[in-house]
Amino acid sequence: MNQQEKTSGRNLSNFMEFVLLDFADVPHLQWFLFGLFLIIYIIIVMSNGTIFLVTRLDSALQSPMYFFLSSFSFLEICYVSVTLPRMLMNLATQRRRIALLACATQMCLVLILGGTECLLLAVMAYDRYVAICNPLQYPLIMNHGACIQLVTASWTIGIPVMIGQTYQIFSLHFCGSNQINHFFCDIPPILKLACGNTFINEMLVFIVAVLFVMVPFILIVGSYSKIISTILKLPSATSRMKAFSTCSSHLMVVMLFFGSAIITYLRPKSGQPEGTDKVLSLFYTILTPMFNPMIYSLRNKDVIMALRKLLCNKSLY
C-alpha cells in the first residue's frame, strides 16, 4: 500500500473516500484471487440465472416452492453483484479507493438484500411447513396472491430500516486511518474507524441484527421442529426419506448463511483477530450464493428434469 493511501490524524468526515484493503496483505496472490473470484461470480450468475429461467418457463414448476426458489435465485444474483464486481475491479487495477457515497450505497444495498434473504429463507421454511404439516390446506393457504405478498414483503419491509441503519453509521465522525480491512463496505470494519463512543450505534446494529437475523432464524428452527416431528410420524420409510430430502437442502442453506451472519453481527467485538469479519463475510456473501443452486438443483429431480427438457428444446432449433 503506497503512502498516499495512508491517512492519519485527520477527520475523515471531510475526507470523501475510503480505501478497501480486501486482500492487499497477499500481493503475490492478486491475479490468482482475481481469476478465482471471477470464476465464482460467473458460476453464481449463470447457475442462479438458470434456475430462475427454468422455474419461470417450465409449466411443471409453477408451485409456490419454485416461485420462492426463483425469487431466491434472482435475489442471489443481485446480492453478489453488489460486492464481487467492485472486488474484482480492485484486484485487477490495485486502485482500492471508494468514494464515501459509493461506500454508503454499497453498504445500504448489502444490508437491504441481506435482510431480504433472511426473510425469504423464513418464508421458504414456512412454505415447507405448510406443505408437510398441513397438506390439505396448502393450496388454500399458499395461493398465488399470498405468495406474491410474502415475496413483496420480504423485499420491501427492510428498506426503511436499512436506509436508517446506513445513515446512522455514516453520520459518525471518522478519524485516523481511512483503510477498511474488508472487501466491501460492511458495518463492523467501518465502525472500527469511527471516533469516540460508538456504543449506541453498536446497540442499534445489534437490535437490527436480532430483528432481521435472529427472529427469522428462530422462526425457521420452529418450522423445522414441526416438520421433523411430522415426518417422524409418517408410516412409510419412503415417505419419510422423500420429505427429508425436500427439506434438507433448504436447511443446509439456512445453517451456512445464518451461522456466518450471526457470528459476524451478534458476537462480542472485543478480542477478535483482525480480519475475522472479512473471512466470515465470505460465507454469507459469496459461498452461500454459489452453493445454493448446486444444493437445490442437484438434490431436486424436478429441477433437473426441467433443465434437461429446456436443453433438449433448445437443441432442436
Side-chain angles (χ1 to χ4, degrees), residues 128 132 224 226-249 299:
R128 292 299 83 209
I132 293 173
Y224 275 103
K226 293 286 188 178
I227 289 170
I228 292 172
S229 175
T230 302
I231 289 175
L232 293 175
K233 295 176 183 178
L234 294 175
S236 169
T238 304
S239 300
R240 289 197 296 270
M241 287 299 295
K242 184 177 179 180
F244 269 122
S245 178
T246 302
C247 298
S248 59
S249 58
R299 298 175 61 84

Side-chain angles (χ1 to χ4, degrees), residues 117-126 129 212-228 247 250-255 257-258:
E117 183 155 346
C118 293
L119 297 175
L120 195 53
L121 284 169
V123 167
M124 294 168 73
Y126 175 70
Y129 162 75
F212 284 87
V213 180
M214 279 305 299
V215 170
F217 181 69
I218 292 170
L219 292 175
I220 291 170
V221 171
S223 297
Y224 275 103
S225 299
K226 293 286 188 178
I227 289 170
I228 292 172
C247 298
H250 185 204
L251 194 55
M252 289 168 64
V253 174
V254 166
M255 297 308 296
F257 179 80
F258 279 94

Side-chain angles (χ1 to χ4, degrees), residues 130-242:
V130 177
I132 293 173
C133 299
N134 198 1
L136 296 179
Q137 296 295 318
Y138 182 72
L140 181 62
I141 297 174
M142 301 305 293
N143 59 70
H144 185 64
C147 293
I148 292 177
Q149 289 175 358
L150 287 170
V151 169
T152 302
S154 299
W155 276 88
T156 59
I157 196 170
I159 291 177
V161 177
M162 300 313 179
I163 290 176
Q165 179 86 283
T166 304
Y167 177 79
Q168 63 98 7
I169 293 293
F170 282 88
S171 295
L172 294 168
H173 292 286
F174 300 99
C175 55
S177 174
N178 66 336
Q179 297 177 351
I180 301 172
N181 188 19
H182 214 296
F183 60 89
F184 70 97
C185 293
D186 200 8
I187 292 177
I190 290 182
L191 275 179
K192 292 178 182 178
L193 304 181
C195 306
N197 191 347
T198 60
F199 176 76
I200 294 177
N201 304 92
E202 290 174 5
M203 286 304 300
L204 290 173
V205 171
F206 183 84
I207 291 169
V208 171
V210 168
L211 291 175
F212 284 87
V213 180
M214 279 305 299
V215 170
F217 181 69
I218 292 170
L219 292 175
I220 291 170
V221 171
S223 297
Y224 275 103
S225 299
K226 293 286 188 178
I227 289 170
I228 292 172
S229 175
T230 302
I231 289 175
L232 293 175
K233 295 176 183 178
L234 294 175
S236 169
T238 304
S239 300
R240 289 197 296 270
M241 287 299 295
K242 184 177 179 180

